[in-house]
Amino acid sequence: MSIVVMKFGGTSVADAEKIRAAARRAIRARKAGKQVVMVISAMGKTTDRLIELAHQVSDNPPKREMDQLLATGEQVTISLMAMALEKMGVPAISFTAGQVGLVTDDVHTKARIKHINVERIRRELDAGKVVIVAGFQGVTEDGTVTTLGRGGSNVTLVAIAASLGAECENYTDVDGVYTADPRIVPNARKIGRISYDEMLELSSLGASVLHNRAVEFAKKYNVPIHVRGSGSNRKGTLIVAETQDMERIVVSGAALKTDLAVITLRNVPDRPGLAARIFHTLAAAKIVVDDIIQTEITPKLATVSFTVDLVDLPDARKVCQQLCSKTRGMTAEFEQDLAKVSVAGVGMRVHTGVAERMFAALARAGINIRNITTSEIAISCIIAQEDGPKALRVVHDAFGLGRKRARSTKSTRKKTAKRRNTAKTTKVTKRARKS
Ligand code: ADP
Ligand code: ASP
Ligand code: MG
């Protein structure tokens, strides 16, 4: 019997009725002959509320305790889901990450999965039950609770699907992956199929619909992810291995990442090993850095700048100030309220002119570019946070990514009327032929 793993995000289980709707969807899959595992997020904005609560009692809550707290959100929903299924006459059992042996490293608030023991899940599936697993959480080898980072239930989904060799469905509040966040870009278009690499870029560059580590996992184990709307039965977006025809499209999507900070280290002595020391120290403090740019100022001194997520700025500031105190003349500057707008597409490997088109669109909109970084299949510009949504819209338009809008100008009205007349004529002709 084939297995399907279905993940439901926070908005898709936000209240009792939505929990029942998700349960009904699982039952439909069972009736279609599949064994069903559900991966569930915390209800609605629960995780945000718990974070807020933590900050009401401490301005710098210990990360271990943060994980202990946040993991409770998912535990509420899994048991409610099991109750809903039982009430509908379907045997179900819920598990926390610890109970199904989802073991992670000990990097609290952004732990990585080391291994999963799916034997318990298999046993319960074979006993005819729907198995419900708490997303987002894990445990270390010694049983300490961890979490996988915001949006981490996606990672749980793919990790479990890969371990079980199952189909992988991600139910969310949009009916697929769009060419840009449809909340910011109203004319964004749903993508039918997208490659792992493009999705990985878009997720890393801010498309929060999927966690980038979930896509990484899916690529590594070649698990296609189907992103679908929990409120619709339509086909969503398939994230799959790249096929040759995908290169025909130059840019597949645009993304916006907000809440970034740029750190600039000046008067960095230009000698072997110093960059390694800077980034080793940051990595040891579990700070993820991106967009590193080094410029030589004199033959002996360089400027090094990089971005970090705003949440990591306090820790990064401490590390950089310590490094400066140990290196004569080196200074650190910290800027916040920054965002990053990007475009991605595997077609960039073979098409030219992408960067120019992106920069021109931003210039026309009067948006200043602070930094530029590129990868083989993406181009990103750091901009002021307040320009973010506008930048996403103009870049999206510049590559013609959106749905074609029906423009009601005088000439299109005339054309539509002409088409209608032609249609009438055609109908008449057909009828005339029949008779
Ligand atoms: P869930 O809680 O179901 O995991 P999320 O809120 O994490 O849902 O992710 C879904 C949201 O991702 C959408 O509501 C949408 O605003 C946002 N999003 C950002 N970029 C994209 C994109 N390219 N396509 C679709 N949704 C996107
Ligand atoms: N509940 C967690 C969050 O809000 C994990 C998730 O929903 O994927 O980030
Ligand atoms: Mg999510």
Coordinates of all heavy atoms in Angstrom, one line a residue, residues 5-7 9 12 25 154 157-158 167-178 182 190-194 196 199 203 207-211 214-215 218 223-240:
V5 N 2.3 11.4 2.9 CA 2.5 12.3 4.1 C 2.0 13.6 3.7 O 2.3 14.3 2.7 CB 4.0 12.4 4.5 CG1 4.2 13.2 5.8 CG2 4.7 11.0 4.6
M6 N 1.0 14.1 4.5 CA 0.3 15.4 4.3 C 0.6 16.3 5.4 O 0.4 16.0 6.5 CB -1.2 15.2 4.3 CG -1.7 14.1 3.4 SD -3.5 13.9 3.7 CE -4.2 13.9 2.1
K7 N 1.2 17.5 5.0 CA 1.4 18.5 6.1 C 0.4 19.6 6.0 O 0.1 20.1 4.9 CB 2.9 19.0 5.9 CG 3.2 20.1 6.9 CD 3.5 21.4 6.3 CE 3.4 22.6 7.2 NZ 3.7 23.9 6.6
G9 N -0.2 23.4 7.4 CA 0.4 24.6 8.1 C -0.6 25.3 9.1 O -1.8 24.9 9.1
S12 N -4.1 26.4 8.1 CA -4.9 25.3 7.7 C -5.5 24.4 8.9 O -6.2 23.5 8.7 CB -4.2 24.3 6.7 OG -3.6 25.1 5.7
R25 N -9.8 15.4 4.7 CA -8.9 15.2 3.6 C -8.1 14.0 3.7 O -7.9 13.2 2.8 CB -8.0 16.5 3.4 CG -7.5 16.6 2.0 CD -6.6 17.8 1.8 NE -7.3 19.0 1.5 CZ -7.7 19.3 0.3 NH1 -7.4 18.5 -0.8 NH2 -8.3 20.4 0.0
N154 N 7.7 22.1 7.4 CA 8.0 21.7 6.1 C 9.2 20.7 6.1 O 9.2 19.7 5.3 CB 8.4 22.9 5.2 CG 7.4 23.9 5.0 OD1 7.7 25.1 4.8 ND2 6.1 23.5 5.0
L157 N 8.0 17.4 7.3 CA 7.2 16.7 6.2 C 8.2 16.0 5.3 O 8.0 14.8 5.0 CB 6.5 17.8 5.4 CG 6.0 17.4 4.0 CD1 4.8 16.4 4.1 CD2 5.6 18.6 3.2
V158 N 9.2 16.7 4.7 CA 10.0 16.0 3.7 C 10.9 14.9 4.3 O 11.1 13.9 3.7 CB 10.8 17.1 3.0 CG1 11.7 16.5 1.9 CG2 9.9 18.2 2.4
E167 N 4.7 9.6 -0.8 CA 4.3 10.8 -1.5 C 4.3 12.0 -0.5 O 4.1 11.8 0.7 CB 2.9 10.7 -2.0 CG 2.7 10.1 -3.3 CD 1.2 10.0 -3.6 OE1 0.5 11.0 -3.8 OE2 0.7 8.9 -3.5
C168 N 4.6 13.2 -1.0 CA 4.8 14.3 -0.1 C 3.9 15.5 -0.5 O 4.0 16.0 -1.6 CB 6.2 14.7 -0.2 SG 6.8 16.0 0.8
E169 N 2.9 15.8 0.4 CA 1.9 16.9 0.0 C 2.0 17.9 1.1 O 1.8 17.6 2.3 CB 0.5 16.3 -0.1 CG 0.4 15.3 -1.2 CD -1.1 15.0 -1.5 OE1 -1.9 15.0 -0.5 OE2 -1.4 14.7 -2.6
N170 N 2.1 19.2 0.7 CA 2.2 20.3 1.6 C 0.9 21.2 1.4 O 0.8 21.9 0.4 CB 3.4 21.1 1.3 CG 3.7 22.2 2.3 OD1 2.7 22.8 2.8 ND2 4.9 22.5 2.6
Y171 N 0.0 21.1 2.4 CA -1.2 21.9 2.3 C -1.1 23.2 3.0 O -0.7 23.2 4.2 CB -2.4 21.1 2.9 CG -2.8 20.0 2.0 CD1 -2.2 18.7 2.2 CD2 -3.7 20.1 1.0 CE1 -2.6 17.6 1.3 CE2 -4.1 19.1 0.2 CZ -3.5 17.9 0.3 OH -3.9 16.8 -0.5
T172 N -1.3 24.3 2.3 CA -1.1 25.6 2.9 C -2.3 26.6 2.6 O -3.3 26.1 2.0 CB 0.3 26.1 2.6 OG1 0.5 27.4 3.2 CG2 0.5 26.3 1.1
D173 N -2.1 27.9 2.9 CA -3.2 28.8 2.6 C -3.1 29.4 1.2 O -3.9 30.3 0.9 CB -3.2 29.9 3.7 CG -1.9 30.7 3.7 OD1 -0.9 30.3 3.0 OD2 -1.8 31.7 4.5
V174 N -2.1 29.0 0.4 CA -2.1 29.4 -1.0 C -2.2 28.1 -1.8 O -1.8 27.1 -1.3 CB -0.9 30.2 -1.4 CG1 -1.0 31.7 -1.2 CG2 0.4 29.6 -0.8
D175 N -2.7 28.2 -3.1 CA -2.9 26.9 -3.8 C -1.7 26.5 -4.6 O -1.9 25.7 -5.5 CB -4.2 26.9 -4.6 CG -4.2 28.0 -5.6 OD1 -3.2 28.7 -5.7 OD2 -5.1 28.1 -6.4
G176 N -0.5 27.0 -4.2 CA 0.7 26.5 -4.9 C 1.8 27.6 -4.7 O 1.6 28.5 -4.0
V177 N 2.9 27.3 -5.4 CA 4.0 28.3 -5.4 C 3.7 29.3 -6.5 O 3.4 28.9 -7.7 CB 5.3 27.6 -5.6 CG1 6.5 28.6 -5.7 CG2 5.6 26.5 -4.5
Y178 N 3.8 30.6 -6.2 CA 3.5 31.6 -7.2 C 4.8 32.2 -7.7 O 5.9 32.1 -7.0 CB 2.6 32.7 -6.6 CG 1.1 32.2 -6.7 CD1 0.7 31.1 -5.9 CD2 0.2 32.9 -7.5 CE1 -0.7 30.7 -6.0 CE2 -1.1 32.5 -7.6 CZ -1.5 31.4 -6.8 OH -2.8 31.0 -6.9
P182 N 1.9 36.1 -3.5 CA 0.7 36.7 -4.0 C 0.1 37.8 -3.0 O -0.7 38.6 -3.4 CB -0.3 35.6 -4.2 CG 0.3 34.4 -3.4 CD 1.8 34.7 -3.3
K190 N 0.4 31.3 -10.6 CA 0.8 30.0 -10.0 C 1.7 29.2 -11.0 O 1.5 29.2 -12.2 CB -0.5 29.2 -9.8 CG -0.2 27.9 -8.9 CD -1.4 27.4 -8.4 CE -2.0 26.4 -9.3 NZ -3.3 25.8 -8.8
I191 N 2.7 28.6 -10.4 CA 3.7 27.9 -11.2 C 3.3 26.4 -11.2 O 3.0 25.9 -10.1 CB 5.1 28.0 -10.6 CG1 5.5 29.5 -10.6 CG2 6.2 27.2 -11.4 CD1 6.8 29.8 -9.8
G192 N 3.3 25.7 -12.3 CA 2.8 24.3 -12.4 C 3.9 23.4 -11.9 O 3.7 22.5 -11.0
R193 N 5.2 23.6 -12.3 CA 6.3 22.8 -12.0 C 7.5 23.6 -11.8 O 7.7 24.5 -12.6 CB 6.5 21.8 -13.1 CG 6.2 20.4 -12.8 CD 6.2 19.5 -14.1 NE 6.9 20.1 -15.2 CZ 8.0 19.6 -15.8 NH1 8.5 18.5 -15.3 NH2 8.5 20.1 -16.8
I194 N 8.3 23.3 -10.8 CA 9.5 24.1 -10.6 C 10.6 23.2 -10.1 O 10.3 22.2 -9.4 CB 9.3 25.3 -9.6 CG1 10.5 26.2 -9.5 CG2 8.8 24.8 -8.3 CD1 10.2 27.6 -8.8
Y196 N 14.0 21.7 -8.1 CA 14.5 21.8 -6.7 C 15.4 23.0 -6.6 O 15.3 23.8 -5.6 CB 15.2 20.6 -6.3 CG 14.4 19.3 -6.2 CD1 14.8 18.2 -6.9 CD2 13.3 19.3 -5.4 CE1 14.0 17.0 -6.8 CE2 12.6 18.1 -5.3 CZ 12.9 17.0 -6.0 OH 12.2 15.9 -5.9
M199 N 13.5 26.4 -6.6 CA 12.7 26.5 -5.3 C 13.7 26.8 -4.1 O 13.4 27.5 -3.3 CB 11.9 25.3 -5.1 CG 10.8 25.4 -4.1 SD 9.6 26.7 -4.6 CE 9.5 27.7 -3.1
S203 N 13.2 29.9 -1.8 CA 13.0 29.7 -0.4 C 14.1 30.4 0.4 O 13.8 31.1 1.4 CB 13.0 28.3 0.0 OG 12.0 27.6 -0.7
A207 N 11.0 33.3 -0.1 CA 9.6 32.7 -0.4 C 9.3 31.8 0.7 O 9.7 30.6 0.7 CB 9.6 32.0 -1.8
S208 N 8.5 32.3 1.7 CA 8.3 31.5 3.0 C 7.4 30.3 2.8 O 7.2 29.6 3.8 CB 7.8 32.5 4.0 OG 6.6 33.1 3.5
V209 N 6.8 30.2 1.6 CA 5.9 29.1 1.4 C 6.5 27.7 1.7 O 5.9 26.8 2.1 CB 5.3 29.1 0.0 CG1 6.3 29.0 -1.1 CG2 4.2 28.1 -0.2
L210 N 7.8 27.6 1.5 CA 8.6 26.3 1.9 C 9.9 26.7 2.6 O 10.5 27.7 2.2 CB 8.9 25.5 0.6 CG 7.8 24.6 0.1 CD1 8.4 23.8 -1.1 CD2 7.4 23.6 1.1
H211 N 10.2 25.9 3.6 CA 11.5 26.2 4.2 C 12.6 25.7 3.3 O 12.5 24.6 2.7 CB 11.5 25.4 5.5 CG 12.6 25.8 6.5 ND1 13.9 25.6 6.3 CD2 12.5 26.3 7.7 CE1 14.6 26.0 7.3 NE2 13.7 26.5 8.2
A214 N 13.8 22.1 3.8 CA 12.8 21.1 3.3 C 13.1 20.8 1.8 O 13.1 19.7 1.4 CB 11.4 21.6 3.4
V215 N 13.4 21.9 1.0 CA 13.7 21.7 -0.4 C 15.0 21.0 -0.6 O 15.2 20.1 -1.4 CB 13.7 23.1 -1.1 CG1 13.8 22.9 -2.6 CG2 12.5 23.9 -0.8
A218 N 14.4 17.4 0.0 CA 13.7 16.8 -1.1 C 14.6 16.6 -2.3 O 14.5 15.5 -3.0 CB 12.5 17.8 -1.5
V223 N 12.6 13.6 -3.6 CA 11.2 13.4 -3.2 C 10.4 14.6 -3.8 O 10.6 15.8 -3.4 CB 11.0 13.6 -1.6 CG1 9.6 13.5 -1.2 CG2 11.9 12.5 -0.9
P224 N 9.5 14.4 -4.8 CA 8.7 15.5 -5.3 C 7.8 16.1 -4.2 O 7.2 15.3 -3.5 CB 7.9 14.9 -6.5 CG 8.6 13.6 -6.8 CD 9.2 13.1 -5.5
I225 N 7.7 17.4 -4.1 CA 6.8 18.0 -3.1 C 5.6 18.6 -3.9 O 5.8 19.3 -4.9 CB 7.4 19.1 -2.3 CG1 8.8 18.7 -1.7 CG2 6.5 19.6 -1.2 CD1 9.5 19.9 -1.0
H226 N 4.4 18.3 -3.5 CA 3.3 18.9 -4.1 C 2.7 19.9 -3.1 O 2.3 19.6 -2.1 CB 2.2 17.8 -4.4 CG 1.1 18.2 -5.2 ND1 0.1 17.4 -5.6 CD2 0.8 19.4 -5.8 CE1 -0.8 18.0 -6.4 NE2 -0.4 19.3 -6.4
V227 N 2.8 21.2 -3.5 CA 2.3 22.3 -2.7 C 0.9 22.6 -3.1 O 0.6 22.9 -4.3 CB 3.2 23.6 -2.8 CG1 2.6 24.7 -2.0 CG2 4.6 23.3 -2.4
R228 N -0.1 22.5 -2.2 CA -1.5 22.6 -2.5 C -2.2 23.5 -1.5 O -1.8 23.6 -0.4 CB -2.1 21.2 -2.6 CG -1.4 20.2 -3.3 CD -2.1 18.9 -3.3 NE -3.4 19.0 -4.0 CZ -4.2 17.9 -4.2 NH1 -3.8 16.8 -3.8 NH2 -5.3 18.1 -4.8
G229 N -3.4 24.0 -2.0 CA -4.2 24.8 -1.1 C -5.1 23.9 -0.2 O -5.7 22.9 -0.7
S230 N -5.1 24.1 1.1 CA -5.9 23.3 2.0 C -7.4 23.5 1.7 O -8.3 22.7 2.0 CB -5.6 23.5 3.4 OG -5.7 24.8 3.8
G231 N -7.7 24.7 1.1 CA -9.2 25.0 0.9 C -9.6 24.7 -0.6 O -10.7 25.1 -1.0
S232 N -8.8 23.9 -1.3 CA -9.2 23.7 -2.7 C -8.8 22.3 -3.2 O -7.9 21.7 -2.5 CB -8.5 24.7 -3.6 OG -7.5 24.2 -4.4
N233 N -9.4 21.8 -4.2 CA -9.0 20.5 -4.7 C -8.2 20.5 -5.9 O -7.9 19.5 -6.5 CB -10.3 19.7 -5.0 CG -10.9 19.2 -3.7 OD1 -10.2 18.8 -2.7 ND2 -12.2 19.3 -3.6
R234 N -7.8 21.8 -6.3 CA -7.1 21.9 -7.6 C -5.7 21.4 -7.4 O -5.1 21.4 -6.3 CB -7.0 23.4 -8.0 CG -8.4 24.0 -8.2 CD -8.5 24.8 -9.5 NE -7.4 25.8 -9.6 CZ -7.5 27.0 -9.2 NH1 -8.6 27.4 -8.6 NH2 -6.5 27.8 -9.3
K235 N -5.1 21.1 -8.6 CA -3.7 20.7 -8.5 C -2.8 21.9 -8.1 O -3.1 23.0 -8.6 CB -3.3 20.2 -9.9 CG -2.6 18.9 -10.0 CD -2.3 18.4 -11.3 CE -0.8 18.2 -11.5 NZ -0.4 18.1 -12.8
G236 N -1.8 21.7 -7.4 CA -1.0 22.8 -7.0 C 0.3 22.9 -7.8 O 0.3 22.9 -9.0
T237 N 1.4 23.1 -7.1 CA 2.7 23.2 -7.8 C 3.6 21.9 -7.4 O 3.7 21.6 -6.2 CB 3.5 24.4 -7.3 OG1 2.7 25.5 -7.6 CG2 4.8 24.6 -7.9
L238 N 4.2 21.4 -8.4 CA 5.1 20.2 -8.2 C 6.6 20.7 -8.2 O 7.0 21.4 -9.1 CB 4.9 19.2 -9.3 CG 3.8 18.2 -9.1 CD1 3.8 17.2 -10.3 CD2 4.0 17.4 -7.8
I239 N 7.3 20.4 -7.1 CA 8.7 20.7 -7.0 C 9.4 19.4 -7.3 O 9.3 18.4 -6.6 CB 9.0 21.3 -5.7 CG1 8.2 22.6 -5.5 CG2 10.5 21.6 -5.5 CD1 7.9 22.9 -4.1
V240 N 10.2 19.4 -8.4 CA 10.7 18.2 -9.0 C 12.2 18.4 -9.5 O 12.6 19.5 -9.5 CB 9.9 17.7 -10.2 CG1 8.5 17.2 -9.7 CG2 9.7 18.8 -11.2

